[in-house]
């Protein structure tokens, strides 16, 4: 199994480490390592960006807890005090 086939199963930390190693090998590795890093980096970057996009989309859809406005709370407190 080629490492590019495992990208979807890697954790975010593993992807970040793989990206760092591929960048390093792309500059200082043997010619075979440089070629592999060159082909792997765009795939790793795409996976990282896809995950960031998914996290942003999820964060936007998470419902925020309902809160009473400050004015409403004051009015309610005044009404309770009048009783």
């Amino acid at each position: 199994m080629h490492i590019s086939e495992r990208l979807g199963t890697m954790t975010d930390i593993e992807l970040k480490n793989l990206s760092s190693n591929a960048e390093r090998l792309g500059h200082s590795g043997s010619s075979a390592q440089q070629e592999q890093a060159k082909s792997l980096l765009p795939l790793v970057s795409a996976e990282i960006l896809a995950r960031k996009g998914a996290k942003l989309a999820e964060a936007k859809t998470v419902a925020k807890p309902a809160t009473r406005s400050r004015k409403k709370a004051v009015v309610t407190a005044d009404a309770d005090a009048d009783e």
Side-chain angles (χ1 to χ4, degrees):
M1 175 184 279
H2 192 266
I3 195 160
S4 63
E5 296 170 3
R6 297 187 342 198
L7 294 178
T9 63
M10 292 182 163
T11 65
D12 291 346
I13 294 171
E14 290 171 333
L15 279 175
K16 185 176 178 180
N17 288 338
L18 179 60
S19 177
S20 297
N21 288 336
E23 287 179 24
R24 179 180 51 80
L25 289 173
H27 296 292
S28 63
S30 67
S31 60
Q33 288 172 326
Q34 288 179 355
E35 189 62 35
Q36 288 177 337
K38 183 180 174 182
S39 66
L40 189 60
L41 270 172
L43 300 173
V44 173
S45 296
E47 181 68 25
I48 290 171
L49 287 175
R51 289 184 186 193
K52 283 183 182 179
K55 286 180 183 179
L56 287 175
E58 184 179 325
K60 288 181 180 180
T61 61
V62 172
K64 294 182 180 178
T67 59
R68 296 191 315 181
S69 69
R70 182 178 176 97
K71 187 175 181 179
K72 251 187 180 176
V74 170
V75 169
T76 304
D78 288 341
D80 290 340
D82 291 340
E83 293 175 2

